[in-house]
Amino acid sequence: MSRIVLGVGASHSTLMNTNWDEVAHRDDARRFRAGLGEARELVEAARPDAVVVIGSNHFRGFFLDLMPAFTVGVAECVGSGESGTPGGPLPVDTDLARKLMWSLSDADFDAAFSLRLQVDHGITHALQYLLPDLDVPMVPVVMNMFAPPLPSLARCDAFGTVLRRAIESDGQDKRVLVVASGGLSHRLPWPKWFSAMSDDDRFLVEAWLNGRDSWKDYEVRRRQIIRAAEADINPEFDRRFLELLLEGDLSEIVAKSSAEIEEEAGNGAQEIRSWVAMSRALGAAKGRVLAYEPIDTWITGMAVAVLEPLPGT
């Protein structure tokens, strides 16, 4: 049977690509990037045959005309290529992806699937820094983390259980890496789609609804809005989350509602759903935090952590 050999959680920020010169002199930014480098070395040592990447989509592949809670890419997958992230066709492990879809269906998950999935940095940022050669086939899993109502944290936890079962029952002998992309605490200047008030709010909702064939037309103003936002990071929340992750028990977090997460750690913290699913898929594991830095310039609590399955699990 196939097995999970390593789990990695990594925050993402396209500002690390487009505005690195602004922070290259700062110790916190260098420490975070060094943490990604250490994680990349661990990935190389784990020799994965496939990688499952769980992340979000920032309205460059999914839009308000159709927003599934969970989507698995089972065939063609294309990176948007925004802000210096990988663009164009990405390799997909179609066999493992289809196995995951069947396992989700058998577990009464009504997940969507796509034979032509477009992903943005919610998936590709992790690939760029952990698997820069893009030579390991992946299974992209996109969770809705920005357009409420969101899948509950408990549902994302259950997704991790099904993912583990799918990998272990695929009839293959693959070494599988599971990557969680996104988080931790941060607050984006994004409105609720049902309560847009300011001109910027209405512009963003229009972009999220009508951008399927023209998302690039909205990019300049979108980035201006994000760059103008003040950082709202909660290091206490982040450090507690990482502590629980290493303890192997995220039940304290999973019990929280989406509203509680947003109030405590910002709407961007909803991306911890990917970490919750990854942790559950790993099961009993030993973990390390390779970096945690609340980087105001990137408006995000930036973390890198790894989980290694305990022998015999």
Side-chain angles (χ1 to χ4, degrees):
M1 69 178 185
S2 296
R3 60 191 178 93
I4 299 173
V5 294
L6 187 69
V8 179
S11 303
H12 57 238
S13 172
T14 57
L15 296 173
M16 193 167 73
N17 289 355
T18 59
N19 300 87
W20 175 252
D21 290 344
E22 294 180 12
V23 296
H25 64 286
R26 289 176 44 164
D27 290 340
D28 54 358
R30 291 201 299 265
R31 284 193 296 265
F32 174 75
R33 203 157 186 171
L36 279 177
E38 186 176 353
R40 181 173 63 249
E41 292 174 358
L42 292 171
V43 167
E44 292 173 355
R47 298 177 290 106
D49 301 304
V51 53
V52 178
V53 185
I54 309 170
S56 57
N57 190 285
H58 307 76
F59 301 100
R60 296 184 183 90
F62 289 96
F63 300 87
L64 293 179
D65 58 357
L66 182 62
M67 184 60 65
F70 303 93
T71 305
V72 179
V74 298
E76 179 182 346
C77 183
V78 177
S80 296
E82 82 283 3
S83 304
T85 53
L90 300 168
V92 175
D93 188 325
T94 56
D95 290 338
L96 183 56
R98 287 196 296 265
K99 176 61 180 179
L100 175 56
M101 278 306 306
W102 285 114
S103 297
L104 288 166
S105 180
D106 290 343
D108 292 329
F109 260 91
D110 296 321
F113 66 89
S114 174
L115 275 69
R116 185 172 294 136
L117 180 66
Q118 180 166 304
V119 297
D120 69 2
H121 69 274
I123 297 290
T124 58
H125 193 273
L127 294 172
Q128 179 178 20
Y129 287 95
L130 299 177
L131 294 158
D133 295 331
L134 300 178
D135 55 354
V136 178
M138 69 163 179
V139 176
V141 175
V142 178
M143 293 183 176
N144 172 25
M145 305 188 201
F146 288 118
L150 308 180
S152 69
L153 287 157
R155 192 66 168 158
C156 297
D157 185 70
F159 187 100
T161 298
V162 179
L163 173 59
R164 181 184 179 96
R165 290 174 182 167
I167 291 169
E168 293 179 343
S169 64
D170 71 344
Q172 304 295 313
D173 186 24
K174 295 176 181 176
R175 300 170 59 84
V176 180
L177 165 70
V178 181
V179 174
S181 179
L184 298 181
S185 69
H186 61 295
R187 194 175 301 275
L188 297 169
W190 286 5
K192 302 288 194 302
W193 57 264
F194 46 83
S195 60
M197 301 297 290
S198 70
D199 287 343
D200 283 345
D201 289 350
R202 288 189 288 271
F203 166 80
L204 288 171
V205 172
E206 177 188 341
W208 300 343
L209 177 60
N210 300 320
R212 183 168 297 280
D213 297 316
S214 58
W215 63 267
K216 292 181 181 179
D217 295 341
Y218 298 94
E219 281 293 285
V220 172
R221 185 170 173 185
R222 271 186 53 155
R223 292 193 65 79
Q224 289 173 342
I225 292 170
I226 292 174
R227 291 281 285 160
E230 293 186 6
D232 185 359
I233 303 171
N234 186 341
E236 182 179 350
F237 172 90
D238 295 341
R239 293 190 176 101
R240 178 58 177 164
F241 178 82
L242 293 169
E243 178 184 6
L244 295 170
L245 179 76
L246 299 191
E247 291 175 358
D249 183 5
L250 288 174
S251 57
E252 176 183 315
I253 299 295
V254 170
K256 293 179 182 289
S257 67
S258 295
E260 289 171 323
I261 293 294
E262 180 167 350
E263 180 178 359
E264 189 173 355
N267 54 358
Q270 306 292 3
E271 290 180 319
I272 62 172
R273 283 164 168 75
S274 60
W275 294 63
V276 167
M278 180 272 289
S279 176
R280 178 59 66 189
L282 265 288
K286 61 179 180 180
R288 285 189 292 149
V289 174
L290 304 182
Y292 172 70
E293 302 293 338
I295 301 179
D296 54 354
T297 306
W298 298 341
I299 64 172
T300 304
M302 304 290 293
V304 184
V306 294
L307 296 178
E308 300 177 70
L310 295 176
T313 61

